[in-house]
Amino acid sequence: GAVVSQHPSRVICKSGTSVKIECRSLDFQATTMFWYRQFPKQSLMLMATSNEGSKATYEQGVEKDKFLINHASLTLSTLTVTSAHPEDSSFYICSARGLVPGTQYFGPGTRLLVL
Amino acid sequence: TQLLEQSPQFLSIQEGENLTVYCNSSSVFSSLQWYRQEPGEGPVLLVTVVTGGEVKKLKRLTFQFGDARKDSSLHITAAQPGDTGLYLCAGAQADSWGKLQFGAGTQVVVTP
């Protein structure tokens, strides 16, 4: 399967600071990437769809000004959590859309802890 | 509300036993994926099924897509401790730009 990386894998920050998470497709070009959030013992919740060269499409209830997404190239999408607060602490996972319809390849996730 | 109903939510079995996880919906999907996720890691794609009635086998894992493409099942034969993990089904609908609808997940624990 395709390889997707995320950086950093873990981050701890103070309340009010901004955190950037990178998602890279290592061995293929991903025109579409997705960002998810996952709480303990729960399933994945889609936050937004990131399309290369255009604005991201956010799911209902997700604040676009708080979760900034940039997909500047075919191999890189970034999620910036602005003015992070403790309630933003979560596991953030990105994925890249594969060639087979419906297939997505997931990154290893980023654990964010806001103090 | 969850578009895909996954059951059971939790399954604890002994090594060597069989298990089945179900994924049901009232909606039709163009494809359905099964993933396995371990704590602190991203989901890993196990299989994609696209044809109604399709059956795919991956070693001890058997995946079935319903004839109407509304439901799917995952069957594990002779489970091993290494099969422990969170199993997630996810469906894609036509014209959804590849967006997936995830089930709530089934936590499987296989004890030696």
Side-chain angles (χ1 to χ4, degrees), chain A residues 8-101:
Chain A
S9 58
R10 301 171 68 93
V11 57
I12 301 173
C13 69
K14 293 182 179 180
S15 186
T17 60
S18 293
V19 175
K20 180 186 282 189
I21 303 170
E22 293 186 349
C23 178
R24 293 182 184 272
S25 57
L26 298 183
D27 53 358
F28 71 108
Q29 294 181 332
T31 55
T32 303
M33 291 183 172
F34 302 91
W35 287 95
Y36 294 84
R37 187 172 178 176
Q38 186 178 32
F39 292 104
K41 300 188 185 302
Q42 292 188 22
S43 189
L44 279 69
M45 183 189 79
L46 179 65
M47 298 175 66
T49 301
S50 170
N51 293 300
E52 187 268 336
S54 64
K55 291 184 179 180
T57 303
Y58 291 81
E59 295 299 299
Q60 192 172 11
V62 178
E63 298 177 59
K64 62 180 180 181
D65 294 329
K66 178 158 186 71
F67 299 100
L68 300 178
I69 291 172
N70 183 274
H71 193 156
S73 78
L74 287 171
T75 59
L76 174 65
S77 176
T78 61
L79 167 68
T80 300
V81 183
T82 62
S83 187
H85 291 285
E87 57 265 31
D88 298 324
S89 299
S90 191
F91 192 51
Y92 292 88
I93 311 175
C94 71
S95 71
R97 188 173 68 174
L99 293 177
V100 175

XYZ file of all heavy atoms in Angstrom, chain A residues 8-101:
732
model
N 4.717 16.388 13.586
C 5.384 15.444 14.480
C 4.455 14.295 14.880
O 3.265 14.343 14.609
C 5.712 16.325 15.685
C 4.593 17.317 15.725
C 4.252 17.593 14.288
N 4.993 13.309 15.540
C 4.154 12.206 16.015
C 3.489 12.572 17.338
O 2.398 12.081 17.639
C 4.996 10.940 16.180
O 6.066 11.175 17.074
N 4.178 13.385 18.133
C 3.618 13.844 19.399
C 4.023 15.289 19.605
O 5.133 15.676 19.265
C 4.150 13.023 20.577
C 3.877 11.551 20.513
C 4.629 10.814 21.605
N 4.116 11.144 22.922
C 3.192 10.446 23.549
N 2.677 9.366 22.977
N 2.769 10.788 24.750
N 3.127 16.081 20.150
C 3.462 17.466 20.456
C 2.705 17.902 21.711
O 1.526 17.602 21.863
C 3.167 18.395 19.258
C 1.716 18.305 18.821
C 3.542 19.827 19.564
N 3.449 18.591 22.562
C 2.862 19.178 23.771
C 3.063 20.682 23.677
O 4.179 21.139 23.407
C 3.529 18.639 25.050
C 3.379 17.118 25.121
C 2.910 19.292 26.292
C 4.147 16.472 26.257
N 2.015 21.441 23.872
C 2.148 22.889 23.754
C 1.336 23.577 24.839
O 0.473 22.970 25.478
C 1.704 23.368 22.372
S -0.060 23.220 22.081
N 1.628 24.838 25.014
C 0.897 25.633 25.990
C -0.375 26.189 25.356
O -0.417 26.450 24.143
C 1.758 26.778 26.509
C 2.947 26.340 27.351
C 3.702 27.556 27.869
C 4.877 27.124 28.745
N 5.632 28.318 29.262
N -1.356 26.409 26.178
C -2.611 26.974 25.709
C -2.360 28.335 25.064
O -1.588 29.149 25.581
C -3.570 27.117 26.900
O -4.841 27.542 26.472
N -2.966 28.568 23.902
C -2.817 29.840 23.212
C -1.806 29.818 22.083
O -1.789 30.736 21.251
N -0.991 28.788 22.035
C -0.014 28.704 20.956
C -0.617 27.972 19.753
O -1.678 27.354 19.850
C 1.257 27.955 21.401
O 0.899 26.623 21.801
C 1.916 28.678 22.567
N 0.073 28.064 18.621
C -0.386 27.392 17.400
C 0.529 26.214 17.096
O 1.736 26.264 17.352
C -0.385 28.371 16.224
O -1.363 29.368 16.429
N -0.055 25.185 16.554
C 0.695 23.965 16.255
C 0.439 23.562 14.808
O -0.709 23.524 14.370
C 0.254 22.813 17.179
C 0.938 21.510 16.792
C 0.542 23.161 18.632
N 1.521 23.255 14.081
C 1.393 22.822 12.695
C 1.721 21.346 12.586
O 2.750 20.888 13.083
C 2.318 23.613 11.775
C 2.216 23.185 10.299
C 3.237 23.878 9.424
C 2.824 25.282 9.098
N 3.709 25.899 8.063
N 0.853 20.616 11.891
C 1.062 19.184 11.650
C 1.198 18.977 10.154
O 0.378 19.474 9.375
C -0.122 18.350 12.189
C -0.327 18.621 13.684
C 0.116 16.864 11.950
C -1.613 18.023 14.236
N 2.241 18.237 9.763
C 2.473 17.973 8.349
C 2.054 16.562 7.966
O 2.251 15.621 8.733
C 3.953 18.147 8.013
C 4.456 19.568 8.119
C 5.891 19.690 7.641
O 6.537 18.634 7.429
O 6.367 20.823 7.490
N 1.506 16.431 6.777
C 1.107 15.129 6.242
C 1.708 15.010 4.852
O 1.465 15.860 3.991
C -0.410 15.038 6.179
S -1.042 13.499 5.474
N 2.497 13.974 4.646
C 3.173 13.792 3.362
C 2.861 12.430 2.757
O 2.879 11.410 3.460
C 4.685 13.889 3.524
C 5.188 15.258 3.920
C 6.708 15.297 4.024
N 7.162 16.601 4.501
C 7.415 17.639 3.723
N 7.239 17.535 2.412
N 7.826 18.785 4.238
N 2.580 12.420 1.453
C 2.482 11.149 0.745
C 3.860 10.895 0.149
O 4.374 11.709 -0.605
C 1.415 11.215 -0.349
O 1.690 12.254 -1.257
N 4.465 9.777 0.512
C 5.877 9.546 0.215
C 6.131 8.910 -1.151
O 7.205 9.096 -1.728
C 6.509 8.689 1.309
C 6.496 9.303 2.709
C 7.212 8.387 3.696
C 7.127 10.685 2.727
N 5.200 8.125 -1.631
C 5.503 7.409 -2.857
C 4.433 7.580 -3.940
O 4.398 6.822 -4.903
C 5.703 5.909 -2.557
C 4.529 5.317 -1.800
O 3.584 6.061 -1.468
O 4.562 4.098 -1.534
N 3.561 8.569 -3.777
C 2.586 8.851 -4.817
C 2.079 10.283 -4.646
O 2.266 10.906 -3.602
C 1.421 7.858 -4.780
C 0.494 8.032 -3.594
C -0.771 8.562 -3.762
C 0.889 7.671 -2.311
C -1.625 8.725 -2.671
C 0.052 7.820 -1.229
C -1.214 8.354 -1.406
N 1.456 10.787 -5.690
C 0.929 12.137 -5.649
C -0.527 12.103 -5.202
O -1.338 11.379 -5.770
C 1.046 12.788 -7.025
C 2.488 13.013 -7.447
C 2.599 13.683 -8.800
O 1.727 13.535 -9.640
N 3.664 14.430 -9.011
N -0.821 12.881 -4.197
C -2.167 12.873 -3.616
C -2.854 14.206 -3.891
O -2.532 15.212 -3.260
C -2.092 12.610 -2.118
N -3.776 14.205 -4.820
C -4.499 15.440 -5.097
C -5.484 15.757 -3.979
O -5.863 16.912 -3.800
C -5.273 15.328 -6.422
O -6.120 14.172 -6.370
C -4.324 15.184 -7.593
N -5.895 14.729 -3.267
C -6.840 14.925 -2.173
C -6.331 14.250 -0.910
O -5.941 13.088 -0.942
C -8.230 14.345 -2.514
O -8.702 14.952 -3.703
C -9.216 14.600 -1.380
N -6.337 14.993 0.165
C -5.992 14.460 1.476
C -7.122 14.800 2.443
O -7.884 15.740 2.203
C -4.672 15.023 1.980
C -3.459 14.541 1.215
S -1.922 15.190 1.940
C -0.704 14.270 1.011
N -7.202 14.032 3.500
C -8.261 14.217 4.483
C -7.647 14.346 5.867
O -6.623 13.732 6.164
C -9.224 13.020 4.476
C -9.870 12.753 3.144
C -9.279 11.895 2.235
C -11.074 13.345 2.808
C -9.870 11.634 1.004
C -11.678 13.097 1.581
C -11.066 12.239 0.682
N -8.288 15.140 6.696
C -7.856 15.281 8.092
C -8.961 14.801 9.016
O -10.130 15.178 8.874
C -7.513 16.741 8.398
C -6.214 17.171 7.775
C -6.026 17.805 6.591
C -4.901 16.966 8.322
N -4.692 18.018 6.365
C -3.974 17.516 7.413
C -4.414 16.382 9.500
C -2.597 17.497 7.635
C -3.049 16.357 9.717
C -2.162 16.912 8.790
N -8.544 13.964 9.959
C -9.478 13.386 10.914
C -9.022 13.702 12.330
O -7.850 13.956 12.595
C -9.519 11.857 10.783
C -10.069 11.325 9.482
C -9.253 11.204 8.356
C -11.395 10.912 9.377
C -9.752 10.697 7.165
C -11.897 10.394 8.195
C -11.064 10.290 7.100
O -11.571 9.774 5.916
N -9.990 13.584 13.217
C -9.713 13.705 14.637
C -10.292 12.453 15.306
O -11.356 11.970 14.898
C -10.404 14.955 15.175
C -10.076 15.306 16.598
C -10.674 16.674 16.919
N -10.413 17.012 18.307
C -10.743 18.167 18.857
N -11.356 19.098 18.144
N -10.476 18.401 20.123
N -9.582 11.933 16.288
C -10.050 10.723 16.959
C -9.882 10.857 18.455
O -8.786 11.133 18.941
C -9.281 9.498 16.455
C -9.810 8.170 16.990
C -9.065 6.979 16.425
O -7.878 7.064 16.131
N -9.760 5.856 16.245
N -10.970 10.650 19.192
C -10.928 10.647 20.644
C -10.753 9.212 21.119
O -11.067 8.261 20.386
C -12.200 11.275 21.210
C -12.307 12.752 20.932
C -13.154 13.233 19.944
C -11.529 13.655 21.644
C -13.233 14.588 19.678
C -11.608 15.013 21.379
C -12.456 15.481 20.394
N -10.254 9.055 22.356
C -9.991 7.699 22.861
C -11.193 6.769 22.748
O -12.320 7.147 23.060
C -9.619 7.951 24.330
C -9.056 9.328 24.328
C -9.857 10.085 23.323
N -10.937 5.586 22.270
C -11.924 4.532 22.138
C -13.087 4.905 21.216
O -14.180 4.345 21.317
C -12.472 4.124 23.513
C -11.394 3.608 24.461
C -11.989 3.048 25.720
C -10.913 2.646 26.720
N -9.960 1.660 26.180
N -12.846 5.850 20.326
C -13.885 6.229 19.370
C -13.369 6.089 17.946
O -12.175 5.886 17.718
C -14.337 7.675 19.623
C -15.080 7.872 20.926
C -15.670 9.252 21.039
O -15.896 9.943 20.038
N -15.951 9.680 22.262
N -14.289 6.204 17.017
C -13.932 6.103 15.611
C -13.375 7.429 15.106
O -13.242 8.397 15.860
C -15.173 5.707 14.813
O -14.825 5.411 13.477
N -13.039 7.462 13.847
C -12.473 8.676 13.248
C -13.579 9.663 12.886
O -14.623 9.268 12.361
C -11.692 8.323 11.981
C -10.269 7.809 12.161
C -10.251 6.444 12.798
C -9.537 7.784 10.836
N -13.317 10.934 13.123
C -14.254 11.978 12.757
C -13.606 12.854 11.696
O -12.564 13.464 11.951
C -14.619 12.817 13.979
C -15.651 13.899 13.681
S -15.868 15.022 15.057
C -14.441 16.082 14.858
N -14.205 12.906 10.512
C -13.641 13.714 9.435
C -13.768 15.189 9.767
O -14.852 15.660 10.134
C -14.365 13.409 8.121
C -13.902 14.188 6.900
C -12.454 13.829 6.543
C -14.810 13.910 5.703
N -12.664 15.900 9.646
C -12.667 17.335 9.898
C -12.788 18.106 8.588
O -13.559 19.061 8.477
C -11.383 17.759 10.598
C -11.170 17.126 11.963
S -9.569 17.557 12.648
C -9.754 19.302 12.909
N -11.976 17.717 7.601
C -11.946 18.489 6.365
C -11.323 17.677 5.244
O -10.562 16.736 5.488
C -11.166 19.776 6.562
N -11.663 18.097 4.028
C -11.072 17.520 2.821
C -10.152 18.574 2.217
O -10.566 19.720 2.011
C -12.165 17.156 1.811
O -13.059 16.224 2.419
C -11.558 16.531 0.563
N -8.940 18.163 1.949
C -7.914 19.086 1.463
C -7.590 18.756 0.012
O -7.156 17.656 -0.296
C -6.656 18.918 2.339
O -5.552 19.594 1.805
N -7.827 19.706 -0.883
C -7.541 19.504 -2.294
C -6.364 20.381 -2.717
O -6.319 21.577 -2.403
C -8.759 19.853 -3.152
C -9.896 18.880 -2.923
O -9.760 17.678 -3.138
N -11.022 19.377 -2.477
N -5.435 19.789 -3.428
C -4.232 20.498 -3.862
C -4.588 21.721 -4.693
O -5.362 21.617 -5.650
C -3.321 19.554 -4.644
C -1.962 20.132 -5.000
C -1.946 20.806 -6.352
O -2.792 20.459 -7.191
O -1.077 21.681 -6.568
N -4.073 22.867 -4.277
C -4.263 24.096 -5.030
C -5.574 24.797 -4.808
O -5.856 25.813 -5.466
N -6.405 24.297 -3.918
C -7.674 24.977 -3.657
C -7.980 24.964 -2.162
O -7.278 24.334 -1.379
C -8.814 24.311 -4.432
O -9.012 22.998 -3.990
N -9.043 25.671 -1.803
C -9.398 25.762 -0.387
C -9.949 24.437 0.117
O -10.617 23.708 -0.615
C -10.447 26.854 -0.173
C -9.931 28.267 -0.383
C -11.013 29.288 -0.060
C -10.493 30.700 -0.240
N -11.537 31.721 0.070
N -9.698 24.187 1.375
C -10.204 22.964 1.977
C -11.709 23.058 2.191
O -12.276 24.140 2.336
C -9.509 22.720 3.317
N -12.341 21.906 2.201
C -13.769 21.816 2.483
C -13.941 21.253 3.887
O -13.497 20.140 4.167
C -14.472 20.881 1.476
O -14.232 21.353 0.158
C -15.966 20.843 1.749
N -14.582 22.028 4.752
C -14.700 21.644 6.152
C -16.046 20.971 6.426
O -17.076 21.334 5.841
C -14.543 22.869 7.061
C -13.141 23.421 7.068
C -12.683 24.252 6.051
C -12.258 23.095 8.093
C -11.392 24.744 6.053
C -10.957 23.579 8.108
C -10.539 24.405 7.083
O -9.251 24.890 7.092
N -16.031 20.013 7.324
C -17.261 19.364 7.756
C -18.025 20.291 8.704
O -17.444 21.220 9.314
C -16.963 18.042 8.450
C -16.336 17.011 7.523
C -17.225 16.646 6.350
O -18.346 16.130 6.573
O -16.796 16.871 5.201
N -19.308 20.041 8.786
C -20.162 20.867 9.634
C -19.664 20.828 11.076
O -19.358 19.760 11.611
C -21.598 20.348 9.565
C -22.621 21.273 10.172
C -24.042 20.811 9.905
O -24.270 19.696 9.440
N -24.996 21.669 10.190
N -19.579 22.008 11.682
C -19.154 22.092 13.077
C -17.665 22.263 13.270
O -17.217 22.469 14.396
N -16.887 22.191 12.210
C -15.436 22.368 12.307
C -15.097 23.806 11.937
O -15.455 24.274 10.855
C -14.692 21.392 11.381
C -13.184 21.633 11.478
C -15.027 19.957 11.750
N -14.419 24.502 12.846
C -14.096 25.912 12.620
C -12.918 26.049 11.676
O -11.788 25.688 12.024
C -13.753 26.572 13.956
C -14.873 26.579 14.976
C -14.396 27.182 16.284
O -13.968 28.339 16.283
O -14.420 26.461 17.310
N -13.150 26.631 10.509
C -12.084 26.742 9.520
C -11.006 27.736 9.939
O -9.854 27.629 9.516
C -12.643 27.112 8.154
C -13.353 28.443 8.105
C -13.875 28.701 6.696
C -14.581 30.028 6.607
N -15.131 30.288 5.234
N -11.374 28.719 10.767
C -10.375 29.689 11.206
C -9.508 29.145 12.328
O -8.445 29.688 12.617
C -11.060 30.978 11.684
C -11.754 31.697 10.539
O -11.256 31.574 9.397
O -12.777 32.347 10.788
N -9.972 28.101 12.962
C -9.199 27.487 14.030
C -8.310 26.374 13.488
O -7.182 26.196 13.933
C -10.122 26.916 15.086
C -9.376 26.221 16.214
C -10.198 26.131 17.447
C -9.347 25.572 18.577
N -8.337 26.554 19.013
N -8.799 25.641 12.542
C -8.052 24.531 11.946
C -7.729 24.904 10.495
O -8.511 24.642 9.589
C -8.862 23.238 12.016
C -9.188 22.801 13.417
C -10.443 23.056 13.966
C -8.238 22.148 14.187
C -10.750 22.656 15.265
C -8.541 21.745 15.485
C -9.790 22.000 16.020
N -6.553 25.518 10.320
C -6.153 25.988 9.003
C -5.496 24.865 8.228
O -4.566 24.228 8.709
C -5.180 27.164 9.143
C -5.704 28.401 9.882
C -4.620 29.453 9.972
C -6.942 28.955 9.204
N -5.966 24.650 7.006
C -5.425 23.586 6.171
C -4.862 24.182 4.903
O -5.503 25.004 4.245
C -6.514 22.547 5.846
C -6.890 21.789 7.117
C -6.037 21.571 4.767
C -8.075 20.881 6.956
N -3.645 23.736 4.571
C -2.986 24.167 3.354
C -2.482 22.955 2.600
O -1.837 22.078 3.174
C -1.809 25.101 3.693
C -1.149 25.638 2.449
O -0.271 25.017 1.869
N -1.584 26.805 2.035
N -2.795 22.884 1.307
C -2.379 21.736 0.486
C -1.650 22.310 -0.721
O -2.193 22.367 -1.815
C -3.625 20.941 0.080
C -3.334 19.589 -0.483
N -4.271 18.573 -0.446
C -2.250 19.064 -1.080
C -3.763 17.490 -1.006
N -2.543 17.767 -1.401
N -0.419 22.748 -0.472
C 0.318 23.520 -1.473
C 0.956 22.666 -2.559
O 1.300 23.175 -3.623
C 1.387 24.354 -0.783
N 1.140 21.387 -2.296
C 1.758 20.533 -3.310
C 1.053 19.186 -3.326
O 0.219 18.898 -2.473
C 3.243 20.335 -3.016
O 3.427 19.389 -1.979
N 1.405 18.367 -4.302
C 0.748 17.066 -4.453
C 1.211 16.049 -3.420
O 0.707 14.931 -3.389
C 0.996 16.522 -5.862
C 0.229 17.233 -6.969
C 0.705 16.764 -8.335
C -1.269 16.994 -6.827
N 2.178 16.415 -2.604
C 2.682 15.472 -1.604
C 2.613 15.999 -0.184
O 3.014 15.315 0.749
C 4.142 15.083 -1.905
O 4.949 16.273 -1.902
C 4.266 14.384 -3.244
N 2.107 17.214 -0.001
C 2.117 17.798 1.341
C 0.842 18.568 1.650
O 0.410 19.426 0.899
C 3.316 18.745 1.494
C 3.388 19.557 2.793
C 3.582 18.635 3.993
C 4.519 20.577 2.720
N 0.250 18.225 2.785
C -0.857 18.997 3.337
C -0.516 19.302 4.790
O 0.078 18.473 5.477
C -2.170 18.212 3.271
O -3.233 18.929 3.891
N -0.870 20.494 5.239
C -0.598 20.857 6.631
C -1.881 21.282 7.331
O -2.773 21.873 6.726
C 0.426 21.998 6.737
O -0.099 23.153 6.076
C 1.754 21.607 6.128
N -1.947 20.937 8.611
C -3.054 21.351 9.476
C -2.458 22.181 10.594
O -1.554 21.709 11.291
C -3.759 20.128 10.060
C -4.740 20.379 11.214
C -5.958 21.144 10.727
C -5.175 19.063 11.858
N -2.923 23.414 10.726
C -2.461 24.260 11.818
C -3.594 24.487 12.795
O -4.652 25.005 12.411
C -1.948 25.620 11.292
O -0.864 25.391 10.382
C -1.442 26.483 12.440
N -3.368 24.094 14.030
C -4.336 24.347 15.096
C -3.956 25.680 15.712
O -2.898 25.805 16.348
C -4.305 23.233 16.153
C -5.372 23.475 17.221
C -4.502 21.867 15.500
N -4.769 26.683 15.475
C -4.438 28.028 15.944
C -4.990 28.259 17.345
O -6.065 27.762 17.697
C -5.002 29.086 15.004
O -6.435 28.973 14.987
C -4.469 28.909 13.589
N -4.217 29.007 18.147
C -4.621 29.338 19.515
C -5.206 28.103 20.209
O -6.378 28.077 20.612
C -5.659 30.462 19.489
O -5.946 30.905 20.810
N -4.369 27.100 20.311
C -4.824 25.816 20.842
C -5.267 25.928 22.301
O -4.692 26.690 23.093
C -3.717 24.786 20.704
N -6.286 25.163 22.639
C -6.785 25.092 24.011
C -6.827 23.636 24.438
O -6.802 22.731 23.591
C -8.168 25.740 24.107
C -8.146 27.213 23.920
N -7.698 28.069 24.904
C -8.471 27.982 22.867
C -7.773 29.320 24.456
N -8.229 29.295 23.226
N -6.918 23.367 25.729
C -6.921 21.968 26.191
C -7.958 21.085 25.494
O -7.699 19.904 25.266
C -7.193 22.101 27.687
C -6.571 23.410 28.054
C -6.854 24.310 26.861
N -9.094 21.640 25.148
C -10.131 20.824 24.482
C -9.739 20.414 23.062
O -10.406 19.573 22.447
C -11.476 21.559 24.451
C -11.452 22.913 23.773
C -11.257 24.057 24.756
O -10.580 23.856 25.797
O -11.775 25.149 24.478
N -8.664 21.012 22.530
C -8.154 20.622 21.211
C -7.247 19.406 21.307
O -6.836 18.856 20.271
C -7.389 21.775 20.555
C -8.276 22.990 20.310
O -9.472 22.790 19.976
O -7.783 24.124 20.472
N -6.908 19.013 22.533
C -6.073 17.834 22.712
C -6.776 16.619 22.109
O -7.940 16.350 22.413
C -5.813 17.580 24.200
O -5.126 18.674 24.783
N -6.060 15.908 21.246
C -6.674 14.790 20.553
C -5.621 14.087 19.708
O -4.451 14.464 19.700
C -7.804 15.301 19.647
O -8.577 14.230 19.153
N -6.059 13.053 18.999
C -5.222 12.338 18.044
C -5.667 12.781 16.661
O -6.827 12.602 16.290
C -5.416 10.831 18.252
C -4.422 9.953 17.549
C -3.058 10.180 17.685
C -4.827 8.880 16.780
C -2.126 9.364 17.062
C -3.897 8.061 16.150
C -2.551 8.301 16.291
N -4.764 13.402 15.917
C -5.093 13.911 14.591
C -4.446 12.997 13.545
O -3.242 12.712 13.604
C -4.598 15.346 14.430
C -5.352 16.330 15.293
C -4.948 16.594 16.597
C -6.487 16.981 14.806
C -5.649 17.477 17.399
C -7.196 17.869 15.602
C -6.772 18.109 16.894
O -7.479 18.988 17.693
N -5.255 12.567 12.599
C -4.767 11.637 11.577
C -5.096 12.190 10.196
O -6.195 12.697 9.968
C -5.437 10.249 11.700
C -5.396 9.748 13.144
C -4.769 9.241 10.778
C -6.151 8.446 13.341
N -4.132 12.079 9.279
C -4.387 12.480 7.905
C -4.436 11.236 7.028
O -3.958 10.162 7.424
C -3.323 13.433 7.394
S -1.721 12.662 7.111
N -5.019 11.383 5.868
C -5.009 10.288 4.902
C -4.922 10.876 3.505
O -5.225 12.048 3.283
C -6.278 9.427 5.022
O -7.400 10.144 4.543
N -4.466 10.039 2.586
C -4.386 10.446 1.193
C -5.287 9.541 0.370
O -5.334 8.319 0.605
C -2.948 10.349 0.703
N -5.992 10.137 -0.561
C -6.888 9.341 -1.381
C -6.099 8.507 -2.378
O -5.201 9.021 -3.047
C -7.868 10.246 -2.129
C -8.968 9.481 -2.862
C -9.996 10.411 -3.442
N -9.467 11.220 -4.535
C -10.212 12.032 -5.277
N -11.489 12.155 -5.025
N -9.666 12.722 -6.237
N -6.445 7.234 -2.462
C -5.753 6.340 -3.371
C -6.397 6.298 -4.738
O -7.419 6.936 -4.983
N -5.803 5.543 -5.646
C -6.297 5.458 -7.013
C -7.583 4.644 -7.099
O -8.472 4.958 -7.894
C -5.229 4.836 -7.923
C -3.969 5.690 -8.118
C -2.962 4.925 -8.975
C -4.316 7.027 -8.751
N -7.700 3.600 -6.273
C -8.930 2.805 -6.251
C -10.001 3.634 -5.561
O -9.795 4.094 -4.441
C -8.728 1.471 -5.498
C -10.051 0.719 -5.380
C -7.676 0.634 -6.192
N -11.151 3.849 -6.203
C -12.198 4.691 -5.608
C -12.555 4.276 -4.195
O -12.792 3.091 -3.925
C -13.383 4.488 -6.565
C -12.750 4.166 -7.864
C -11.537 3.346 -7.533
